[in-house]
């Protein structure tokens, strides 16, 4: 199994030959890798690059994911104002596209956002919405991870 750093190196190598249109998805993936390494500020830069490319090519599915990941990274970095703006933008796109998985993830990220703001009632509303969708599409393992993350940490 490859380490995060090895996967990051592979992504950066692929970037050298990728078309501009393909780079949006790669930047998003690189942003996720930095996010998982605990480097939210670096992740934000890559998510922003992904947004710019995916906007240029009108890749709405990718944009929904870009904005949700960007908003979540802003939350972790402590910029709650930008987090809320990007999360709402990403969720709006996911809803428009009827992408159940990313709608559920958007609700999860909003639950974490409201938890960070200390609004636990609103956080619970969004986590319940997320779990309801995850159960409907059979993603129970994700549901369990969300509950563990929100209520057991």
């Amino acid at each position: 199994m490859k380490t995060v750093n090895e996967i990051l190196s592979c992504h950066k190598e692929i970037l050298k030959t990728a078309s501009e249109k393909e780079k949006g998805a790669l930047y998003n993936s690189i942003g996720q890798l930095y996010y998982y390494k605990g480097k939210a500020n670096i992740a934000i830069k890559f998510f922003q690059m992904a947004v710019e490319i995916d906007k240029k090519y009108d890749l709405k599915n990718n944009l929904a994911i870009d904005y949700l990941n960007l908003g979540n990274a802003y939350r972790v970095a402590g910029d709650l104002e930008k987090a809320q703006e990007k999360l709402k933008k990403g969720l709006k796109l996911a809803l428009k596209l009827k992408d159940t998985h990313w709608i559920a993830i958007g609700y999860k990220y909003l639950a974490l956002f409201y938890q960070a703001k200390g609004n636990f009632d609103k956080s619970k509303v969004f986590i319940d919405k997320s779990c309801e969708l995850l159960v409907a599409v059979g993603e129970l393992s994700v549901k369990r991870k969300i509950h563990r993350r929100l209520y057991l940490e």
Side-chain angles (χ1 to χ4, degrees), residues 20-82:
E20 184 184 24
K21 190 175 183 178
E22 294 168 329
K23 287 182 180 181
L26 285 165
Y27 286 144
N28 190 297
S29 292
I30 292 169
Q32 282 287 18
L33 292 167
Y34 278 111
Y35 174 85
Y36 290 124
K37 287 178 62 132
K39 297 181 178 185
N41 289 320
I42 296 172
I44 287 167
K45 291 176 185 175
F46 280 97
F47 293 140
Q48 288 170 331
M49 289 189 290
V51 164
E52 291 310 310
I53 289 171
D54 291 338
K55 253 198 243 181
K56 179 178 178 178
Y57 292 99
D58 198 33
L59 301 173
K60 290 186 181 11
N61 284 20
N62 291 6
L63 270 172
I65 298 164
D66 297 341
Y67 280 126
L68 289 169
N69 287 336
L70 181 57
N72 193 48
Y74 274 126
R75 175 191 59 82
V76 170
D79 190 338
L80 296 182
E81 188 176 315
K82 284 184 182 175

Side-chain angles (χ1 to χ4, degrees), residues 48-128:
Q48 288 170 331
M49 289 189 290
V51 164
E52 291 310 310
I53 289 171
D54 291 338
K55 253 198 243 181
K56 179 178 178 178
Y57 292 99
D58 198 33
L59 301 173
K60 290 186 181 11
N61 284 20
N62 291 6
L63 270 172
I65 298 164
D66 297 341
Y67 280 126
L68 289 169
N69 287 336
L70 181 57
N72 193 48
Y74 274 126
R75 175 191 59 82
V76 170
D79 190 338
L80 296 182
E81 188 176 315
K82 284 184 182 175
Q84 184 175 31
E85 173 196 336
K86 303 305 180 188
L87 289 172
K88 286 187 175 188
K89 219 176 227 188
L91 183 57
K92 184 178 177 181
L93 271 171
L95 286 163
K96 186 176 179 181
L97 297 165
K98 297 181 173 132
D99 187 332
T100 306
H101 172 80
W102 282 101
I103 294 168
I105 298 301
Y107 288 153
K108 176 187 96 166
Y109 287 170
L110 278 172
L112 292 168
F113 166 79
Y114 284 111
Q115 186 181 52
K117 289 192 74 152
N119 189 337
F120 299 105
D121 291 337
K122 204 158 188 177
S123 176
K124 178 146 177 29
V125 167
F126 281 105
I127 199 58
D128 288 344

